[in-house]
Amino acid sequence: MILKGAEINRYLARPDPTRPALLIYGQDAMRVALKRAEAVAALTGPNADEEMRLTRIPGADLRKDATLVVDAIKEVGFFPGQRVVLVEDTPDAAAPALATAIGEWAHGDAAIVVTAGGLTKSSALRKLFEPHASAVTAPIYDDPPGEEEIHRWLAEAGLTDVPQPAMRDLLALSRALDPGDFRQTVEKIGLYKHGDDSALSPEEIALMAPSTIDAEVDELIDAVAEGKSDRFGQLMRRIEGQGIAPVTICIAALRHFRALHAASADPGGAQAGLSRLRPPVFGPRRDRMARQVQGWGMRNLEEAIHHLLDTDLQLRSASRAPQMALIERALIRLSMMPRGAR
């Protein structure tokens, strides 16, 4: 049986212990590992390792000894509860040994969970599992988790009251982070909100989210984008004292103004455009950048980007001009540009 779409996540959250084997495969090793851990935990419950109800077998070992899985599923444990034999990083060469084990599996035996990397249509493992009447195949794609899956992770972290604005920002964050980092962030949010009966807010999500840009440079670019030339000098001297390279400042400024430009061009408005960026912008940061978009206007943003591109070329050229002076002059010019749509 081949799982498809939303049924993949639903099944892996509650696998059927009466089915002999489950194949989980995909290109992204982290996504496969997360789904494997979820499925095994759902099958065995807590304390499976301590109670010796979980047996791990490297897939490559099956090429040397094809009886490993059969012996493992038939073992009788000392503790009650569902047992699982986990075969990890499984190559196609292990397919004959797994076929034998699935053929000899009987009710009461340990469930077999097999993980593998990306498998082609001609893969021996897929040819074994996909047409099988009882075994289950769960292909894991590189899609970010959906709202249903995030709700389940939040519930596991102890959060059930999640308003729509907070869920919108979590969905945006899930597209920006790899699945392992996102799952850790959800757990971090759960710990932060432990014992707090108030609803999760976008501000709290922004506080818990991993930082993606140096705070000092971020503050400087915000001052430029908001025309706060009175703060520029102090911020610039602080960054210069930290030894941040001028080209790094220019790249960060270009990224910021390109984000403003993309949001300005979005038919859904600046807020929606910022949420659709890669990585997305959310929480109070999104509100602040949305105000910057409205203050600049499309034409002025295009002019700012052209000016930063010219500065970037000068910084990377053989010019002997002082580089910090070049980027400082460019940012001062931007901070003093007239605002408003043109």
Side-chain angles (χ1 to χ4, degrees):
M1 179 176 74
I2 308 174
L3 300 175
K4 296 179 181 178
E7 66 183 4
I8 295 175
N9 293 326
R10 283 196 288 267
Y11 184 87
L12 294 181
R14 291 185 178 181
D16 183 354
T18 66
R19 291 183 175 273
L22 166 65
L23 169 65
I24 305 172
Y25 74 91
Q27 292 284 356
D28 191 315
M30 177 59 73
R31 283 179 165 85
V32 171
L34 284 171
K35 293 302 181 184
R36 177 262 299 157
E38 184 178 7
V40 170
L43 281 167
T44 62
N47 305 319
D49 274 318
E50 294 87 340
E51 296 176 357
M52 296 178 288
R53 292 186 290 109
L54 175 61
T55 302
R56 301 174 186 270
I57 299 175
D61 287 0
L62 298 184
R63 289 180 293 187
K64 304 173 186 176
D65 188 350
T67 66
L68 286 174
V69 181
V70 175
D71 292 343
I73 65 173
K74 298 294 182 181
E75 286 179 356
V76 178
F78 293 104
F79 295 88
Q82 176 67 48
R83 295 181 301 112
V84 167
V85 174
L86 175 60
V87 185
E88 300 182 278
D89 301 321
T90 312
D92 269 344
L98 289 169
T100 301
I102 294 172
E104 295 191 20
W105 187 91
H107 288 287
D109 290 346
I112 305 168
V113 177
V114 180
T115 67
L119 300 177
T120 64
K121 289 183 178 180
S122 60
S123 161
L125 287 172
R126 287 182 61 177
K127 288 182 177 180
L128 167 63
F129 275 80
E130 290 179 355
H132 198 279
S134 301
V136 179
T137 306
I140 306 302
Y141 304 107
D142 293 347
D143 301 326
E147 188 168 345
E148 180 182 340
E149 189 171 12
I150 293 173
H151 269 300
R152 189 173 70 252
W153 290 353
L154 288 168
E156 292 171 0
L159 292 173
T160 54
D161 182 15
V162 182
Q164 193 55 41
M167 179 54 66
R168 178 190 62 200
D169 285 354
L170 284 170
L171 285 166
L173 185 61
S174 73
R175 296 193 294 269
L177 302 177
D178 68 53
D181 288 342
F182 179 70
R183 186 66 183 266
Q184 288 181 354
T185 302
V186 170
E187 292 171 357
K188 183 179 177 182
I189 292 170
L191 290 172
Y192 174 81
K193 293 292 288 181
H194 181 69
D196 184 352
D197 294 332
S198 64
L200 181 64
S201 68
E203 290 77 13
E204 289 170 323
I205 294 172
L207 180 66
M208 295 294 105
S211 299
T212 57
I213 185 169
D214 184 89
E216 298 283 356
V217 176
D218 197 20
E219 189 177 355
L220 172 71
I221 295 170
D222 277 330
V224 170
E226 293 164 4
K228 297 178 179 177
S229 53
D230 55 323
R231 298 188 56 215
F232 178 84
Q234 179 185 0
L235 291 169
M236 196 70 196
R237 297 289 78 78
R238 193 189 308 167
I239 287 175
E240 190 174 7
Q242 292 178 3
I244 297 175
V247 70
T248 300
I249 301 171
C250 189
I251 290 170
L254 261 171
R255 185 187 304 119
H256 185 89
F257 277 87
R258 280 172 168 158
L260 297 182
H261 183 266
S264 177
D266 194 285
Q271 291 268 0
L274 290 165
S275 297
R276 279 192 274 266
L277 292 175
R278 296 290 185 275
V281 182
F282 51 90
R285 179 96 183 124
R286 180 180 55 208
D287 297 335
R288 185 174 188 176
M289 289 181 67
R291 291 192 294 270
Q292 294 172 10
V293 170
Q294 294 167 359
W296 276 83
M298 175 75 76
R299 293 280 299 279
N300 282 329
L301 286 170
E302 290 175 354
E303 187 176 336
I305 291 171
H306 286 310
H307 184 56
L308 286 169
L309 285 171
D310 288 341
T311 304
D312 186 54
L313 287 173
Q314 291 180 61
L315 290 172
R316 296 171 191 271
S317 70
S319 171
R320 295 185 178 181
Q323 293 201 332
M324 190 58 78
L326 278 174
I327 186 61
E328 185 171 355
R329 184 178 64 183
L331 294 179
I332 289 174
R333 179 177 172 183
L334 292 186
S335 69
M336 301 183 71
M337 277 181 64
R339 304 291 192 273
R342 292 194 301 171

